[in-house]
Amino acid sequence: TKRNIFSHFARSSNYNTIHLITMLSGLALSLALSSLAITTNVVEGNNVFTVSLTKRSDEEMVSNFLQMERDALAAMLEAKMEPAVVEEEEKQSEEIVVQDGAYATQRHLLRGSENGDINEGGKDETVAIHDFSNAQYYGSVSIGTPPQSFKVIFDTGSSNLWVPKEGCSHCGYKIFGLGKDKYNHSKSSSYKENGEEFKIVYGSGAVNGFFSKETVTVSDDVSVTGMDFAEVTDAGGLGIGYVMGSFDGIMGLAFSSISIKGKPTFMDLLLEQNVLKEPIFSFYLGDNTEGELTFGGVDEEKYEGEIEYVDLISSTYWEIDVDGISAGDYSMGKTTAIVDSGTSLLTGPKKEVSKLALQVGAKPNMMGQYTMDCEKLGDVPDLTVTINGSVYTVSGRDLVMKAANTCLFAIMGMDIPEGPQWILGDVFMRKYYTVFDYGNERVGFARVK
């Protein structure tokens, strides 16, 4: 039996209060998401194709963070709540309450839950660790015949594909080339009705819709047929960040064991329909240069040395054992981590990150993020992560995002009940070519050139 992991249960008799808290948590964590725009290109080869990645600037990421901080303060004022009250309620929300039968089906949903309704009488509420209200990986995916094009996030922290349908509520409007593209199944000859409910809960609320079956194409001619994907009818749970954001939907790249309704994933169908040469995909995240996501192989021009692999703890998320983490005088022993393309920063337990931040002089704020004096960037120690006996280093300078006079510490504190201790996001993946071996349930790293 595969071990399902990763949930966050909250308990409160006051729904309005807990909803605001989870909304703020979602806003705080939405910065901890990737920040790349994508264009697509097919690389000649035997069932190998590549998606080109373009990195958005640190200036825009920092600007987004500052805007989220202002929005969170406005939400507090509107609710007439003091920060101290939020901290106390947030502490209460971290209590885990597990009901028989609910835990096994909900605890493995990193991005959310298909069963996230608020129960009567202050019972359990399942909420997500992340939402998608900030900039992230987004690239071209086409659905239907003739193809309807969408910008979707390539996310190793979830397993389903969803896009907004025509008439979707809280999905923005297509004006002057901006806004969301929306799927219209009446215009597709390859559409097949399914109708099963799709529901996932993010930190700020739910996203609802229903499943349909379609042909899905990445690049110009790399397609799978009969894929169950979700037509979203209401994306209100993602808030204004989604309405104003650049992406339309999400393409999950985790395993089918955490797929809502157990639907086969995009990778499952690529393999089943013999589209790929090998059951792997690989990320090269260019640092101020163009990057790429390769399906079916690796690009040997993008890394040096050998790829060193480590087996997954379970075929749910891309979770691995970590021997230790250290920086300067700080060290932590054996722990676990998720390698996540959907997270732009590194995250770790709040107490541990607080110790790290203290060393570099970074100061916390209400968003759970740390800022620091830009004049002290040279004092930030290198971070080392030891995995399967190999040491991986991220320089101190790469642990800071700088824009104008604002510097953000690129490690964020986050406690994850019953889940991995750390998340290795883009800050780590930019330094190491990362291979996600779907067939052998392992992940590999090699230093980028």
Side-chain angles (χ1 to χ4, degrees):
T1 301
K2 298 188 190 312
R3 181 168 67 90
N4 291 330
I5 61 167
F6 216 20
S7 71
H8 184 178
F9 289 87
R11 178 172 63 187
S12 174
S13 59
N14 185 332
Y15 168 67
N16 291 326
T17 299
I18 196 65
H19 181 72
L20 175 60
I21 293 165
T22 54
M23 179 189 72
L24 294 176
S25 298
L27 287 171
L29 292 168
S30 62
L31 180 68
L33 297 168
S34 47
S35 54
L36 304 176
I38 293 181
T39 56
T40 55
N41 296 296
V42 177
V43 175
E44 294 295 333
N46 184 16
N47 295 61
V48 178
F49 61 99
T50 296
V51 179
S52 296
L53 311 176
T54 303
K55 181 177 180 290
R56 298 185 69 188
S57 68
D58 286 352
E59 286 76 11
E60 186 166 355
M61 287 291 291
V62 173
S63 176
N64 288 344
F65 162 73
L66 295 175
Q67 182 60 52
M68 288 187 294
E69 186 173 36
R70 289 191 291 269
D71 291 344
L73 286 169
M76 279 187 177
L77 292 174
E78 184 177 349
K80 297 181 180 179
M81 294 176 61
E82 297 296 329
V85 176
V86 174
E87 290 175 5
E88 179 61 27
E89 291 290 345
E90 186 176 18
K91 185 182 296 183
Q92 293 176 9
S93 73
E94 291 175 357
E95 296 179 26
I96 304 173
V97 180
V98 181
Q99 292 181 337
D100 292 340
Y103 194 42
T105 59
Q106 295 180 354
R107 64 187 302 224
H108 59 283
L109 297 169
L110 170 61
R111 301 302 185 207
S113 169
E114 63 178 301
N115 183 22
D117 294 334
I118 306 302
N119 296 315
E120 295 293 328
K123 295 182 180 179
D124 301 346
E125 174 195 4
T126 301
V127 299
I129 300 302
H130 293 303
D131 67 23
F132 289 98
S133 62
N134 203 355
Q136 21 233 310
Y137 290 109
Y138 57 92
S140 179
V141 168
S142 296
I143 301 175
T145 308
Q148 300 174 42
S149 183
F150 304 92
K151 296 184 290 291
V152 300
I153 300 163
F154 291 97
D155 174 40
T156 59
S158 64
S159 300
N160 297 90
L161 167 63
W162 68 258
V163 296
K165 76 176 294 292
E166 195 76 22
C168 174
S169 299
H170 307 106
C171 291
Y173 300 94
K174 193 72 174 176
I175 302 175
F176 302 120
L178 303 175
K180 307 300 175 193
D181 288 302
K182 300 179 177 68
Y183 173 73
N184 186 337
H185 62 234
S186 68
K187 295 183 178 180
S188 174
S189 62
S190 52
Y191 159 76
K192 293 183 180 179
E193 183 179 0
N194 179 307
E196 289 181 273
E197 180 187 18
F198 173 86
K199 185 172 186 177
I200 188 166
V201 179
Y202 296 100
S204 51
V207 171
N208 299 281
F210 57 87
F211 281 101
S212 295
K213 195 179 291 286
E214 260 289 15
T215 295
V216 177
T217 303
V218 176
S219 299
D220 293 331
D221 57 1
V222 180
S223 300
V224 297
T225 59
M227 180 170 180
D228 287 302
F229 78 104
E231 297 187 47
V232 166
T233 57
D234 189 342
L238 293 181
I240 191 65
Y242 172 67
V243 174
M244 302 301 293
S246 300
F247 70 97
D248 302 315
I250 296 170
M251 171 72 82
L253 295 175
F255 293 88
S256 58
S257 59
I258 61 169
S259 172
I260 291 177
K261 304 291 187 183
K263 300 300 183 184
T265 67
F266 182 62
M267 278 294 295
D268 287 336
L269 295 178
L270 286 173
L271 297 171
E272 179 183 311
Q273 297 175 22
N274 296 314
V275 178
L276 293 185
K277 177 182 179 181
E278 296 182 66
I280 64 175
F281 58 93
S282 311
F283 278 95
Y284 166 77
L285 303 185
D287 194 358
N288 299 317
T289 61
E290 195 173 67
E292 66 180 30
L293 165 60
T294 300
F295 287 93
V298 300
D299 186 343
E300 295 181 353
E301 297 298 318
K302 294 296 189 292
Y303 65 91
E304 58 188 20
E306 297 295 321
I307 298 172
E308 298 188 33
Y309 288 94
V310 56
D311 291 337
L312 301 181
I313 293 175
S314 63
S315 55
T316 51
Y317 302 98
W318 297 89
E319 186 187 13
I320 59 175
D321 284 317
V322 173
D323 301 334
I325 295 176
S326 62
D329 294 331
Y330 167 82
S331 65
M332 180 180 184
K334 188 174 180 60
T335 184
T336 58
I338 282 178
V339 186
D340 186 13
S341 67
T343 301
S344 66
L345 308 182
L346 300 173
T347 79
K350 290 180 180 178
K351 289 183 179 179
E352 302 300 324
V353 174
S354 178
K355 296 175 186 176
L356 273 171
L358 183 63
Q359 280 201 17
V360 303
K363 299 179 180 180
N365 55 39
M366 62 170 292
M367 300 297 294
Q369 179 62 282
Y370 290 85
T371 58
M372 61 180 298
D373 185 346
C374 293
E375 297 296 324
K376 298 182 178 180
L377 298 187
D379 297 336
V380 181
D382 295 347
L383 180 79
T384 61
V385 182
T386 305
I387 301 171
N388 202 27
S390 297
V391 177
Y392 301 90
T393 302
V394 179
S395 72
R397 182 60 188 87
D398 291 323
L399 295 175
V400 179
M401 280 185 177
K402 181 179 180 182
N405 296 321
T406 301
C407 287
L408 299 179
F409 189 43
I411 305 180
M412 188 174 189
M414 182 171 66
D415 293 329
I416 304 171
E418 298 296 318
Q421 296 284 297
W422 293 79
I423 296 178
L424 304 179
D426 296 348
V427 170
F428 180 86
M429 290 174 62
R430 266 194 291 275
K431 299 302 171 185
Y432 296 95
Y433 191 86
T434 307
V435 181
F436 295 85
D437 189 337
Y438 203 80
N440 293 309
E441 298 182 4
R442 60 182 184 168
V443 63
F445 306 102
R447 182 172 289 279
V448 298
K449 289 185 176 179

